[in-house]
Amino acid sequence: MKSFIMNENVTGYIYGSPVKTGIILGETTFKEVPLKVEVKAEAGHSFIHFDLTQRDRVFGLGVNLGGMNKRGRYYRSYCTDDALHHEDKTTLYGAHNFFIVEDDDVSTGYFIEFPSMITYDVGFRRIDEFDIEIYGEDFTVYVIEGESIKDIIVNFHKIIGKPYVPPKWGFGFFQSRWGYETQNDVMNVYNTFKEKDIPLEGIYLDLDYMEDFKDFSVSEERFKGFKKFSKTLKDDGVRLIPIIDAGIKIEEGYNIYEEGIEGNHFVLDEEGKPYVAAVWPGKVHFPDFLKEETRAWFGDQYKFLTDLGIEGVWNDMNEPAIFYDEKSLEEAVDAAIAAKGKNLGVFPFFDLKDKFQNIGNKDEYYRRFFHTVDGKRYTNEELHNLYGYYMTKSASLGLKKQLEKRFVLISRASSIGMHKYSGIWTGDNSSWWSHLELNLKMLPSLNMSGFYYIGADTGGFGGNSNGELLTRWMQLSIFTPLLRNHSAIGCVNQEPYAFGEKITGFNRELIKERYMLIPYIYSEYLKNWEKGGLMFTPLSFEFWGEEVMGAEDQLLMGNELMLAPIYKSNARGRYVYLPEKMTEVSFGTDEVTMRVEKEGLNHLSYELDELKFYLRRNRLFPYTKPSMNVKNLLLDELKFIGYVDEEAEYELYDDDGESFGYEEGIFFKTKVKAIKTEEGYDIQVDNTNPNIKKISLTLIDSENEIIEKEVQV
Ligand code: MIG
């Protein structure tokens, strides 16, 4: 073991000789540092142990099930495509090995840089023990300190780098569905949004658009004249965002396959032949994204899409998901043939059944193909969690090269570090109320892992959604940077207009409200990029007390808002804990109303046709007029609501929405300050945003007195 120091807040230890991952930025200096964690090694695995007192909490672990406090569960960090996220699932699509452990009142952050399996037993088997098992001996542990949990997170983000920034249009509302089979289906969606007067920023295209599930192809039969089609829609402010899968169809004459073979771009099996697995296209090869030349080659393929007018892509199945491989299928089929005519006992029958039923994503597949990094050969299992990350890095480099401006890019598989290149969606959730609740609880840990362009399949991916669930889900999702309604083929349709006039009306209103919120969401995104911090924060990171620690179904957004969404069926309200006085905001396209609520437990009445949230004390919150898309979103009459007893300030960040100017610190900034005086309020504005002409404020104080103000800019 060798210890090192990165800066005054980050130290660490290197064990064995870890593979380079590209996750951590910045220099390390070898230096003796006192040991913060003890690592035990046994039989090729490494173990870290923490004792937990009854009160200690553990936060982090990114995309995962469980609460904000991760205690009481067992997790595996290994990118996996496992579609039904039942209560007992231990891993999802990402591997986010950053966590914070409280030890009495002192919290410490840890990041384990290791690309294969790590398991976390966070007080699960033994209530007061936190056990980590690393499936190897070559890894790095970073210890991140800070004055508070928030500070630790900021310090961690400094060593992993700033997140990807999507274009402003990436903050609009997107419709998606696996099963818009033809251009006509997509056209119908577009037309129906128009007809029903529902804003729409874009439509995600799932596998349906491809020819035989081949990446970088468009079906001539089902999507004829695609280029013109995509242009027509884009001219009207509606983008198409096609899917790309990791597996490349094995087919003579298919250019990507042939180039891949020629350029030696595919991962190899034991014998040095391209590994064969089966996914959507049938038999495929997987590009070796751990190779730089392969990333460059694959990244260039996105030109096929950009040439068609595409400016956004989603990368899927990049854990990589495998339906079966040749060997396992053969074994299963042989076993079935051998069973023919036999009187199978129950256990042999279960064995046989298992051979087929659990043939997807078997552990051994990832031991059957290899990567070479720095001259050393590794099984995919050993580098598993980097695969999706590097696919998405490849896509990001390719899209940037082609478009020379910002693009939308999300990936399903991820690990920490990938946040530099794209956002993530949270994968195949279900149309269950419990998954709406899960969505709410996962948001802070995704931010902690560096991901900001995040969102869940709103309405639920698998299973049949319904109007009530969709609407409640929208009431949360309209605050997430990525807002997408997506569902699986075979489930009922769940577009905002799919559940009758009433629900259509509620969703129309919510989506319009989303556009009103975009200035704030976008501003918070850019500010986080510049300054670090969280967009979604558990209450307990900012307030103290027993009630706050238990309030895991509420969420702070930015420094201004507290969200308390409904995640139960048939609810007309819920209890909300206010750690201090806040203003309950009822937000609508016609009217925004405020009422100050006392601290402590409050009952919030919250009907299906409303949008409610809280505004914190001495804070200002900006919004604008609704719009049908980002292209037409106007800031000329920027509005603020404020709850101000003394003084409050908000600085709105904005930019051109598409260039990389932000990297040079080029933003439009609008600083608005409201100071309470004897007569009312004094308003100061400092503005560099050319689009803002007028600012109007509606301010409330703790006496519930409301005053309106207007400033010409
Ligand atoms: O095996 O492309 O998570 O969003 O609709 C399913 C079809 C493959 C999984 C993705 C989902 C997408 C689906 N894909």
Side-chain angles (χ1 to χ4, degrees), residues 63-100:
V63 63
N64 248 313
L65 273 69
M68 291 180 187
N69 178 358
K70 305 316 281 184
R71 258 184 103 153
R73 287 186 83 97
Y74 177 79
Y75 308 89
R76 283 181 307 142
S77 194
Y78 194 76
C79 299
T80 308
D81 168 30
D82 200 345
L84 274 182
H85 310 166
H86 287 296
E87 181 70 6
D88 57 1
K89 280 282 129 70
T90 54
T91 183
L92 297 178
Y93 309 87
H96 301 164
N97 297 304
F98 172 64
F99 54 93
I100 293 176

Side-chain angles (χ1 to χ4, degrees), residues 266-276 285 368-370:
F266 296 127
V267 293
L268 303 176
D269 65 14
E270 187 80 76
E271 290 159 22
K273 296 201 299 276
Y275 176 68
V276 182
H285 291 322
R368 289 184 189 155
F369 61 96
F370 299 84

Side-chain angles (χ1 to χ4, degrees), residues 33-285:
V33 293
L35 211 55
K36 285 265 168 46
V37 284
E38 206 179 311
V39 177
K40 295 213 171 92
E42 201 186 308
H45 284 203
S46 307
F47 301 83
I48 298 175
H49 175 89
F50 297 92
D51 288 319
L52 301 174
T53 70
Q54 196 121 344
R55 296 182 57 89
D56 293 343
R57 295 170 304 161
V58 176
F59 294 100
L61 299 181
V63 63
N64 248 313
L65 273 69
M68 291 180 187
N69 178 358
K70 305 316 281 184
R71 258 184 103 153
R73 287 186 83 97
Y74 177 79
Y75 308 89
R76 283 181 307 142
S77 194
Y78 194 76
C79 299
T80 308
D81 168 30
D82 200 345
L84 274 182
H85 310 166
H86 287 296
E87 181 70 6
D88 57 1
K89 280 282 129 70
T90 54
T91 183
L92 297 178
Y93 309 87
H96 301 164
N97 297 304
F98 172 64
F99 54 93
I100 293 176
V101 186
E102 269 184 342
D103 183 6
D104 287 326
D105 289 343
V106 182
S107 299
T108 309
Y110 300 91
F111 173 58
I112 306 176
E113 188 185 20
F114 178 69
S116 191
M117 176 88 83
I118 305 179
T119 64
Y120 298 87
D121 181 326
V122 196
F124 178 62
R125 274 172 290 209
R126 294 193 203 289
I127 198 153
D128 48 1
E129 293 180 26
F130 175 14
D131 282 298
I132 301 172
E133 179 169 354
I134 303 165
Y135 283 48
E137 291 178 311
D138 304 294
F139 57 90
T140 309
V141 180
Y142 296 80
V143 179
I144 302 105
E145 293 173 291
E147 269 158 31
S148 62
I149 292 183
K150 283 172 73 177
D151 206 30
I152 291 168
I153 296 164
V154 171
N155 292 337
F156 175 57
H157 290 181
K158 281 185 188 147
I159 64 164
I160 59 169
K162 291 175 182 285
Y164 149 84
V165 179
K168 195 171 188 178
W169 63 263
F171 293 78
F173 172 81
F174 294 89
Q175 184 59 50
S176 180
R177 179 171 171 85
W178 177 16
Y180 293 149
E181 282 174 7
T182 61
Q183 196 150 290
N184 214 20
D185 288 350
V186 178
M187 198 63 193
N188 278 337
V189 173
Y190 164 78
N191 285 332
T192 313
F193 271 83
K194 278 221 129 77
E195 192 187 300
K196 306 266 178 196
D197 183 36
I198 305 172
L200 178 66
E201 199 70 41
I203 302 173
Y204 274 71
L205 299 180
D206 211 316
L207 294 167
D208 318 85
Y209 82 91
M210 292 181 189
E211 181 77 55
D212 292 333
F213 305 111
K214 282 187 280 191
D215 277 349
F216 311 112
S217 77
V218 173
S219 163
E220 257 301 300
E221 191 192 324
R222 282 168 288 113
F223 284 79
K224 203 171 164 52
F226 185 82
K227 188 169 181 175
K228 193 163 153 245
F229 177 62
S230 88
K231 184 171 186 308
T232 311
L233 264 58
K234 195 155 88 181
D235 287 345
D236 193 33
V238 176
R239 321 271 177 156
L240 296 175
I241 303 187
I243 197 168
I244 288 294
D245 278 18
I248 299 299
K249 185 175 170 66
I250 299 177
E251 186 185 89
E252 297 292 320
Y254 168 36
N255 62 327
I256 312 291
Y257 163 74
E258 296 205 330
E259 281 177 32
I261 292 288
E262 199 136 308
N264 194 17
H265 290 305
F266 296 127
V267 293
L268 303 176
D269 65 14
E270 187 80 76
E271 290 159 22
K273 296 201 299 276
Y275 176 68
V276 182
V279 209
W280 289 104
K283 288 186 182 172
V284 300
H285 291 322

Side-chain angles (χ1 to χ4, degrees), residues 178 206-207 243 280 314 316-317 412 425 428 461 486:
W178 177 16
D206 211 316
L207 294 167
I243 197 168
W280 289 104
W314 49 315
D316 191 22
M317 304 295 274
R412 194 175 68 179
W425 85 101
D428 299 347
F461 174 74
H486 179 51

Side-chain angles (χ1 to χ4, degrees), residues 432-572:
W432 301 340
W433 287 93
S434 61
H435 278 182
L436 166 52
E437 182 182 353
L438 177 64
N439 182 185
L440 158 74
K441 293 185 172 170
M442 214 193 278
L443 291 168
S445 60
L446 297 176
N447 277 179
M448 288 172 76
S449 300
F451 292 95
Y452 288 85
Y453 192 58
I454 49 175
D457 288 352
T458 299
F461 174 74
N464 292 331
S465 197
N466 65 76
E468 187 197 7
L469 177 64
L470 174 67
T471 308
R472 288 300 190 192
W473 211 316
M474 280 295 292
Q475 289 170 343
L476 170 64
S477 288
I478 62 166
F479 294 98
T480 61
L482 165 63
L483 170 57
R484 183 177 79 143
N485 172 329
H486 179 51
S487 62
I489 195 164
C491 304
V492 299
N493 275 72
Q494 64 182 46
E495 293 80 8
Y497 48 76
F499 301 107
E501 275 315 306
K502 212 168 192 167
I503 294 293
T504 306
F506 298 169
N507 280 274
R508 174 190 304 117
E509 177 76 2
L510 282 165
I511 297 172
K512 289 189 172 173
E513 287 156 0
R514 159 66 171 213
Y515 280 84
M516 296 167 74
L517 298 172
I518 285 179
Y520 180 69
I521 300 172
Y522 190 60
S523 169
E524 288 302 302
Y525 199 98
L526 294 177
K527 267 198 220 173
N528 272 291
W529 184 88
E530 194 183 55
K531 301 184 172 136
L534 296 174
M535 242 172 128
F536 296 105
T537 311
L539 253 61
S540 68
F541 288 11
E542 226 158 287
F543 298 98
W544 191 241
E546 289 301 321
E547 294 92 339
V548 155
M549 288 197 222
E552 286 211 345
D553 59 355
Q554 300 169 212
L555 201 55
L556 300 171
M557 185 190 178
N559 288 314
E560 283 67 33
L561 306 186
M562 183 176 80
L563 313 181
I566 301 264
Y567 53 90
K568 289 193 172 117
S569 178
N570 296 317
R572 304 189 56 190

